Amino acid sequence: GIQVEQSPPDLILQEGANSTLRCNFSDSVNNLQWFHQNPWGQLINLFYIPSGTKQNGRLSATTVATERYSLLYISSSQTTDSGVYFCAYNYGGSQGNLIFGKGTKLSVKP
Amino acid sequence: DGGITQSPKYLFRKEGQNVTLSCEQNLNHDAMYWYRQDPGQGLRLIYYSQIVNDFQKGDIAEGYSVSREKKESFPLTVTSAQKNPTAFYLCASQGSIKLFFGSGTQLSVL
């Protein structure tokens, strides 16, 4: 199957700093999603982004499908941004048939 | 409030015992999913259901069973055949594209 690699695995930031998280996949994928899991386990969908760029407040995401990567950009980080960020792609059939990367664990210090 | 409710939050299983995790949604979504998350890992798909009275195996269905008798409910049973059940279990339902997740159940073995 298609491999999904996320980098960096861990990231520590001071509040207010910017960061870029990366997701590489080993072959073409038909869509890509980014999720945030807070320290209590709640998972939230951030972006559905098969290609191009989307922005939502301080977060933005870019997927370059032809080069097999996606980036999640966090600006002016806040402590509430802490948690694990996952990228996942859909491997066909139902939209929830997702392959997840191992995640980037982000800690934002006050 | 609309959403997905998982219960219990913590569950302990004795050897040889079957246990059932509850997942209820009031979002009127047709598709529902069960994922397993191990420490430091992404989510893996156990089972999914796109309509009532129908469900499909995901990537790691062995040792698990599900039912979908009502649109709102998608319970997961962890059977005694699942030899390594300790994990965090997440239920999700699907809107038009996005997935909505419950808050999870942590299952541990006594």
Side-chain angles (χ1 to χ4, degrees):
Chain A
I2 299 176
Q3 303 300 311
V4 182
E5 293 187 3
Q6 292 188 243
S7 60
D10 296 278
L11 184 60
I12 300 175
L13 296 176
Q14 203 64 37
E15 196 169 27
N18 303 328
S19 64
T20 301
L21 283 57
R22 187 177 180 102
C23 177
N24 290 334
F25 29 98
S26 58
D27 204 343
S28 299
V29 297
N30 60 0
N31 68 60
L32 193 91
Q33 302 185 46
W34 283 95
F35 296 86
H36 174 235
Q37 186 172 38
N38 70 19
W40 298 272
Q42 182 69 52
L43 205 73
I44 294 174
N45 184 295
L46 298 175
F47 293 102
Y48 171 83
I49 185 161
S51 63
T53 297
K54 291 185 178 179
Q55 181 152 7
N56 184 3
R58 295 181 296 103
L59 302 181
S60 65
T62 295
T63 296
V64 184
T66 54
E67 297 187 23
R68 304 174 187 173
Y69 73 88
S70 184
L71 302 175
L72 179 69
Y73 183 73
I74 304 173
S75 65
S76 304
S77 59
Q78 300 176 359
T79 56
T80 52
D81 295 332
S82 296
V84 183
Y85 290 82
F86 293 101
C87 63
Y89 76 89
N90 175 267
Y91 62 92
S94 179
Q95 285 288 345
N97 291 11
L98 298 171
I99 297 292
F100 282 77
K102 292 185 177 181
T104 292
K105 184 176 181 180
L106 174 65
S107 298
V108 181
K109 304 298 185 184
Chain B
D1 287 350
I4 300 178
T5 302
Q6 288 188 241
S7 61
K9 192 169 181 64
Y10 300 97
L11 186 59
F12 297 91
R13 192 191 89 166
K14 296 179 181 178
E15 190 172 344
Q17 185 182 42
N18 293 352
V19 293
T20 298
L21 284 61
S22 171
C23 178
E24 303 278 333
Q25 56 104 355
N26 60 6
L27 299 169
N28 200 33
H29 290 165
D30 287 315
M32 297 185 73
Y33 306 84
W34 274 105
Y35 293 90
R36 169 180 171 141
Q37 185 177 25
D38 293 281
Q41 304 294 316
L43 281 66
R44 292 183 290 168
L45 183 64
I46 305 173
Y47 266 100
Y48 65 99
S49 168
Q50 293 184 277
I51 56 173
V52 174
N53 292 323
D54 186 57
F55 47 83
Q56 306 295 328
K57 293 181 179 180
D59 301 317
I60 55 166
E62 186 174 352
Y64 300 96
S65 66
V66 293
S67 63
R68 187 84 186 276
E69 297 177 2
K70 300 186 301 181
K71 188 175 186 178
E72 300 80 15
S73 179
F74 190 40
L76 173 73
T77 296
V78 184
T79 75
S80 57
Q82 173 49 248
K83 299 305 180 186
N84 183 23
T86 296
F88 188 58
Y89 291 86
L90 283 157
C91 176
S93 69
Q94 178 192 332
S96 56
I97 294 177
K98 292 176 63 173
L99 292 181
F100 295 83
F101 285 85
S103 56
T105 293
Q106 176 64 49
L107 176 62
S108 303
V109 176
L110 288 176

